[in-house]
């Protein structure tokens, strides 16, 4: 038992240290995703140590575990209701409440009807799908009678994106920031009560042993989107499968570069992946918004057969409410230079993806 305890302690120390090393290889980046699980494992190991009394060195390792818990806890507590944030009320000058669903449908998921039933149940004004290919596009045609406005990027490489809206689309474009097979979408919308805003959808590739060896393309794509968003004049929402967690260095750089707000802070993690394994579920489908947009509700919905849970959001727009101004952080000169370097590295990285991907 003592040997297992020491092994777990050493492993947890290693998994804590690896993300601190600024190396883009997936070995260093993947442990960032598991910070919640690592914290639970630290607590479990610490409790186990309370029952081990035969070693005189037990309190050295217990103290180390306590330090690990404090280290992770300082970051994670920001994404819980224990962290104090202002509560915002809807005023008469604001827009009507709006709703969207963002869902990585998993390209090889054939349960199209379950997703269609989800949309029909919650009736969001707008929704976006990721990993949606030609088969998904064909299946979703039944929704076009209720969602007459759309912007489609149909790909078979697991990076297709489809956007559907009941609201008028004033303009829409597809960006390819770091690679010609990794799209981001920018959709300018107008509400029925006259409010304009921008919906920005992203889905960069993840660093992993089965996909991209490094995080360079992911980080370069996200920070390119951040620069584009920063120049937009209308209120903006950025949503998608970031293949990243909110506390990673590149996510923090994204937030500061874009001048956007993370609505998870002070509320919840909103963990989405993997949909089938509760204990191995990470919050990688993220959302950020500008200070004129106020979030009423942000949560996951029921599984429809994908490996991601869909994200549901209720929000409103208010140009006259400045209560969120102090939540906007700006990048320092050093951080801006670092972001530019990461963008360049992302453009130079060769992802070597197939144009058509089959399940295997």
């Amino acid at each position: 038992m003592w040997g297992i305890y020491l092994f777990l302690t050493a492993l947890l120390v290693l998994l804590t240290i690896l993300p601190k090393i600024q190396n883009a290889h997936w070995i260093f980046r993947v442990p960032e995703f598991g910070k919640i699980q690592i914290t639970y494992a630290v607590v479990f190991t610490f409790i186990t140590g309370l029952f081990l009394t035969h070693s005189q060195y037990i309190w050295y390792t217990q103290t180390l575990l306590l330090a690990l818990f404090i280290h992770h806890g300082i970051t994670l507590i920001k994404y819980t209701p224990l962290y104090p944030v202002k509560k915002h009320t809807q005023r008469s000058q604001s827009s009507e409440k709006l709703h969207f669903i963002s869902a990585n449908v998993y390209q090889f998921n054939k349960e199209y009807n379950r997703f269609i039933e989800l949309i029909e149940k919650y009736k969001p004004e707008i929704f976006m799908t990721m990993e949606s290919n030609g088969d998904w596009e064909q299946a979703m045609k039944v929704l076009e009678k209720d969602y007459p406005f759309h912007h489609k990027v149909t790909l078979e490489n697991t990076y297709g994106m489809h956007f559907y809206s009941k609201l008028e689309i004033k303009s829409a474009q597809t960006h390819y920031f770091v690679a010609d097979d990794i799209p981001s979408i920018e959709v300018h919308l107008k509400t029925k009560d006259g409010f304009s805003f921008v919906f920005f959808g992203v889905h960069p590739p993840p660093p992993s042993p089965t996909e991209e060896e490094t995080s360079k393309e992911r980080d370069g794509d996200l920070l390119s989107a951040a620069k584009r968003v920063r120049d937009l004049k209308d209120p903006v929402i950025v949503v998608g499968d970031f293949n990243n967690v909110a506390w990673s260095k590149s996510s923090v750089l994204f937030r500061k570069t874009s001048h956007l707000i993370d609505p998870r802070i002070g509320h919840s993690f909103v963990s989405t992946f993997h949909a089938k394994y509760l204990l191995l579920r990470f919050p990688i489908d993220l959302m950020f918004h500008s200070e004129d947009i106020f979030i009423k509700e942000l949560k996951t919905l029921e599984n429809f057969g994908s490996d991601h849970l869909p994200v549901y959001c209720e929000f409103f727009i208010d140009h006259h409410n400045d209560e969120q101004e102090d939540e906007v952080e700006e990048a320092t000169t050093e951080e801006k230079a670092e972001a530019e370097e990461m963008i360049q590295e992302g453009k130079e990285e060769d992802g070597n993806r197939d144009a058509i991907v089959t399940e295997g």
Side-chain angles (χ1 to χ4, degrees):
M1 192 65 179
W2 173 249
I4 296 174
Y5 169 79
L6 287 179
F7 172 77
L8 286 175
T9 301
L11 179 62
L12 291 168
V13 170
L14 178 63
L15 293 175
T16 300
I17 291 174
L18 282 176
K20 302 296 180 186
I21 301 172
Q22 294 309 308
N23 187 302
H25 195 278
W26 67 263
I27 289 175
F28 299 92
R29 303 278 60 87
V30 167
E32 291 176 319
F33 290 60
K35 184 179 280 287
I36 300 171
Q37 287 78 5
I38 290 169
T39 305
Y40 281 125
V42 167
V43 173
F44 171 80
T45 307
F46 181 86
I47 293 173
T48 301
L50 296 176
F51 297 94
L52 300 176
T53 58
H54 69 280
S55 174
Q56 60 181 316
Y57 302 109
I58 187 70
W59 289 111
Y60 290 104
T61 51
Q62 287 292 84
T63 301
L64 178 58
L65 288 168
L66 183 60
L68 290 180
F69 176 77
I70 293 171
H71 169 76
H72 291 296
I74 288 172
T75 298
L76 294 180
I77 197 171
K78 294 179 181 178
Y79 301 92
T80 73
L82 298 175
Y83 191 77
V85 292
K86 289 181 180 177
K87 304 297 182 183
H88 308 293
T89 56
Q90 192 167 1
R91 302 177 181 179
S92 58
Q93 309 100 314
S94 69
S95 72
E96 296 294 324
K97 292 178 184 176
L98 299 165
H99 310 81
F100 74 75
I101 289 176
S102 170
N104 182 322
V105 297
Y106 182 56
Q107 181 171 301
F108 310 106
N109 174 21
K110 303 300 182 183
E111 299 187 62
Y112 310 118
N113 286 338
R114 290 179 66 184
F115 178 73
I116 291 167
E117 289 169 2
L118 186 85
I119 297 299
E120 291 175 341
K121 176 181 177 180
Y122 290 96
K123 297 179 172 58
E125 283 76 16
I126 54 180
F127 72 89
M128 179 183 73
T129 61
M130 293 155 286
E131 289 202 29
S132 40
N133 61 357
D135 290 341
W136 270 96
E137 180 177 318
Q138 185 64 33
M140 292 189 292
K141 282 188 179 296
V142 299
L143 294 170
E144 292 184 8
K145 64 180 184 300
D146 295 322
Y147 295 86
F149 305 99
H150 25 79
H151 181 67
K152 304 173 182 178
V153 187
T154 309
L155 298 172
E156 301 294 333
N157 64 350
T158 72
Y159 290 97
M161 303 179 82
H162 288 71
F163 177 86
Y164 295 83
S165 176
K166 294 179 179 180
L167 307 177
E168 175 191 354
I169 293 179
K170 297 194 295 182
S171 65
Q173 59 182 306
T174 304
H175 298 282
Y176 296 91
F177 290 120
V178 299
D180 60 7
D181 58 350
I182 301 295
S184 298
I185 61 170
E186 176 186 331
V187 185
H188 293 247
L189 298 152
K190 189 171 184 178
T191 69
K192 293 177 181 178
D193 49 354
F195 288 79
S196 296
F197 71 102
V198 181
F199 186 99
F200 213 101
V202 299
H203 182 204
S208 79
T210 58
E211 296 194 51
E212 301 306 312
E213 186 174 321
T214 75
S215 65
K216 290 181 179 179
E217 277 192 311
R218 179 198 71 183
D219 297 341
D221 189 72
L222 290 176
L223 290 167
S224 296
K227 284 183 63 180
R228 170 61 185 168
V229 165
R230 185 184 60 201
D231 295 332
L232 297 174
K233 304 304 180 185
D234 287 331
V236 61
I237 292 174
V238 182
V239 182
D241 177 3
F242 276 58
N243 279 311
N244 206 355
V245 284
W247 47 79
S248 74
K249 184 172 185 179
S250 55
S251 278
V252 173
L253 269 179
F254 173 90
R255 177 165 52 82
K256 291 183 176 182
T257 301
S258 62
H259 301 172
L260 298 182
I261 296 166
D262 183 353
R264 284 169 164 77
I265 294 175
H267 295 98
S268 65
F269 297 115
V270 194
S271 297
T272 56
F273 176 89
H274 195 287
K276 296 179 181 178
Y277 309 115
L278 180 60
L279 296 180
L280 292 175
R281 191 169 292 170
F282 311 125
I284 64 173
D285 292 85
L286 303 183
M287 174 200 173
F288 296 85
H289 62 90
S290 56
E291 63 189 71
D292 286 347
I293 288 178
F294 294 81
I295 308 304
K296 295 286 290 182
E297 185 176 24
L298 183 66
K299 64 180 182 180
T300 57
L301 300 178
E302 56 266 34
N303 188 10
F304 59 91
S306 174
D307 52 355
H308 288 246
L309 294 176
V311 174
Y312 173 87
C313 180
E314 178 181 296
F315 68 98
F316 63 89
I317 305 167
D318 191 341
H319 300 297
H320 303 284
N321 190 336
D322 59 2
E323 291 178 347
Q324 294 187 131
E325 282 186 354
D326 57 351
E327 296 181 38
V328 177
E329 294 184 70
E330 296 190 16
T332 64
T333 302
E334 292 77 11
E335 288 172 329
K336 290 177 182 177
E338 187 172 10
E340 290 294 340
E341 182 179 349
M342 293 169 78
I343 289 171
Q344 189 57 38
E345 288 179 348
K347 291 178 179 178
E348 294 172 357
E349 188 77 356
D350 182 10
N352 195 30
R353 283 171 295 275
D354 293 328
I356 299 176
V357 179
T358 57
E359 188 173 22

